[in-house]
Structure formats: C-alpha cells, structure tokens
Amino acid sequence: MDIIQLIKDIVTIIATVAGAIIAGYGVDTWRKQLKGKTEYELARRFLKAVYKLREAIKIVRNPFIPSGEIYQALIDDGFSKEEIEKDETKILSRQDLVYIKRWEYINKANSNLKVEILEAEVIWGEEIKELTDELWKCISLLNLNLTRYQRQQNNTRDYSRERMEEIEKVIWDDGDSDENFFTNKIETAISEIENFLKPHLKL
C-alpha cells in the first residue's frame, strides 16, 4: 500500500513538473510571438511614416508650379480675389507662398514620424534614430536652399549661375537620381531605414 502511494506521489510530482515545463515553454513562446507582432506593427507604421515623408518631400520639390497653386496660396495668405485680379503679376511672383503651403506636408509627415521614433528607440535603441537623422539632414538642407532660392528671387542676394544650379538641384526633383545628387541622397537615407526595418516585417 505504501509502495502504491509512493508511486502515485512520484507520478503526481512528475506530472506537476512536466506541466510547469510545458507551461513555461508556452509562456516563452507566447512572449516571443507577442514581441514579434509588436515589432512587426511598429516597423510597418514606421516605414509608412517614412514613405509619407518621402512623398511630402516630393511635393515640395516638384518643379512645376501652376498658376492655380499660386492663386490658392495667395487666397490662403489673406489676399482677396479682387486684389489678385488687380495685380496679376502676383500670380507669377509669389512662389514663396506656394513653398510655405507645400512645406506643411513635410511638417505633418515629420510630426507623425517623430511619434514612431519615440517607441522605436525604446525597442531598437539609438540606431534607428541615427538612421532617421540622415533623412532630417536632407530636409534641413532642402529648407536652407529654398531660403536661398527665395532670396535670389526677391533680389536680396545675387548668386552666381553655378551656385543657382546647385541650389536648384536641391529644391527641384528632376526625376533622375543618377544626375541629381540630392535625390540620390534622399533615396539612400530611406533605403538604409528600409534595410533596418524589413527584417522586422516578417511574422
């Protein structure tokens, strides 16, 4: 009778230990799955925010500025239709207002990306922030050269033709990254972010 009870106790202990091991393995697997899903969702949101910023940059760098866009920028800035019609040269001369309106796309996309960066830093550390820093340097350079371009247009600075060509390569996207160093610089910065994030996009 004592032997039977002993065997029962041993079986109970073994079952308990085995159950604990299986449960522990299950919890560990669940944690890994949860971590993988969390990183997947963050990587997806992060990359989407980067792409939105890329598209915002393209909007700003579009070399074509139709008169309708200038007209709307003047209206948004407070000019009345009568004032604009009285002096139609405003339609051609106020590209600065167009770029101010276009820059709002970058501000919005940039704000969205910064939200994702805060969480990404917690999970992946400083590396992801360093990668996005390269993209922000491109944005700063774009802003600087837009300012230079407007100074030239407003006759407050007189840059050489060679200097203006350098400025125009930054502020305008001619669709050829092989010929345009700044377009290539943006694409390289985004490609590095993609290379970092894509391994996390696999569940």
Side-chain angles (χ1 to χ4, degrees):
M1 208 50 197
D2 291 339
I3 294 175
I4 293 173
Q5 185 60 47
L6 179 60
I7 291 172
K8 285 182 178 180
D9 291 342
I10 292 172
V11 170
T12 300
I13 292 169
I14 292 173
T16 302
V17 172
I21 293 172
I22 292 170
Y25 178 77
V27 169
D28 187 55
T29 301
W30 174 77
R31 283 175 179 167
K32 287 179 180 178
Q33 289 176 341
L34 182 61
K35 182 175 182 291
K37 186 176 181 181
T38 299
E39 292 192 6
Y40 169 83
E41 290 296 333
L42 176 57
R44 185 187 62 81
R45 293 197 316 270
F46 198 106
L47 199 53
K48 185 177 179 181
V50 169
Y51 288 158
K52 283 186 176 180
L53 183 54
R54 178 191 64 190
E55 295 308 304
I57 293 170
K58 285 183 178 180
I59 289 171
V60 172
R61 297 184 71 218
N62 184 355
F64 178 60
I65 302 178
S67 59
E69 188 177 5
I70 301 176
Y71 184 90
Q72 188 59 51
L74 286 164
I75 293 293
D76 292 343
D77 197 57
F79 287 89
S80 68
K81 293 181 180 180
E82 292 73 20
E83 286 177 304
I84 298 170
E85 290 170 0
K86 191 182 296 183
D87 184 5
E88 291 186 359
T89 57
K90 285 189 175 76
I91 291 293
L92 299 175
S93 64
R94 295 308 304 270
Q95 291 186 5
D96 58 320
L97 294 178
V98 170
Y99 283 114
I100 289 171
K101 293 296 296 181
R102 286 183 176 186
W103 199 265
E104 291 176 5
Y105 289 97
I106 287 183
N107 285 338
K108 183 177 179 180
N110 211 9
S111 295
N112 291 337
L113 180 57
K114 285 181 178 178
V115 171
E116 304 301 342
I117 285 174
L118 288 175
E119 186 174 350
E121 271 194 274
V122 173
I123 294 178
W124 297 318
E126 286 288 320
E127 185 178 355
I128 190 64
K129 186 174 182 298
E130 291 169 2
L131 288 174
T132 51
D133 281 347
E134 290 303 312
L135 189 54
W136 279 334
K137 286 176 185 176
C138 291
I139 293 171
S140 296
L141 186 59
L142 175 58
N143 189 32
L144 175 61
N145 280 277
L146 278 172
T147 301
R148 289 168 175 164
Y149 177 75
Q150 292 305 325
R151 285 173 180 168
Q152 176 81 356
Q153 297 300 103
N154 297 333
N155 298 314
T156 57
R157 289 295 300 269
D158 185 19
Y159 294 109
S160 67
R161 183 61 248 168
E162 292 77 13
R163 186 74 178 103
M164 282 304 297
E165 286 177 358
E166 292 175 4
I167 291 170
E168 288 167 1
K169 279 188 176 292
V170 173
I171 67 171
W172 292 334
D173 181 5
D174 53 14
D176 188 351
S177 59
D178 292 331
E179 294 295 328
N180 189 303
F181 82 95
F182 189 66
T183 300
N184 187 58
K185 188 177 179 70
I186 294 169
E187 290 178 354
T188 299
I190 291 174
S191 179
E192 289 178 356
I193 296 171
E194 287 175 330
N195 291 338
F196 180 89
L197 292 175
K198 283 187 175 177
H200 300 287
L201 289 170
K202 299 175 182 177
L203 283 174

